[in-house]
Amino acid sequence: MMRWEALLVAATGLLLGAGIAWTTLIPLTRGLMGAAPHTPAGAATALVAGTVLLGSIAATGLPTRALLGRPGHVRPGEEAVLRAGFVGVHEQAVTDSSDWTNSGA
């Protein structure tokens, strides 16, 4: 889920940034130089790839992985909660809904 959200944010940023740059820089360059600006395809591809890589992996992927932790790994603060038998809101809602559906039979 976070990967798709990061890619969507990166794509939206690239499209909005390109649109704003296009509407402002192309008329300015044509007025000053008399020709449209040119960016080599390799440089443009490297800029887009770097933006997506930094936006999706570094800015979103690493913090998400740090917050969620490894599968099966219990952090020290959560160990006491799990030992006490507390159930999360989602699990409690699932158990409550199954109780009332079976009790009416």
Side-chain angles (χ1 to χ4, degrees), residues 47-83:
L47 285 172
V48 169
T51 302
V52 170
L53 185 69
L54 284 175
S56 61
I57 292 179
T60 307
L62 296 176
T64 302
R65 183 171 296 257
L67 286 174
L68 293 178
R70 296 185 308 259
H73 175 71
V74 178
R75 289 179 266 187
E78 295 172 342
E79 187 174 347
V81 174
L82 292 174
R83 281 188 188 160

Side-chain angles (χ1 to χ4, degrees), residues 22-102:
W22 185 70
T23 56
T24 57
L25 293 177
I26 291 201
L28 181 68
T29 305
R30 281 191 179 168
L32 292 175
M33 308 290 253
H38 172 71
T39 303
T45 304
L47 285 172
V48 169
T51 302
V52 170
L53 185 69
L54 284 175
S56 61
I57 292 179
T60 307
L62 296 176
T64 302
R65 183 171 296 257
L67 286 174
L68 293 178
R70 296 185 308 259
H73 175 71
V74 178
R75 289 179 266 187
E78 295 172 342
E79 187 174 347
V81 174
L82 292 174
R83 281 188 188 160
F86 290 115
V87 179
V89 176
H90 175 70
E91 289 84 3
Q92 185 65 41
V94 169
T95 5
D96 288 346
S97 67
S98 63
D99 288 343
W100 70 267
T101 54
N102 293 334

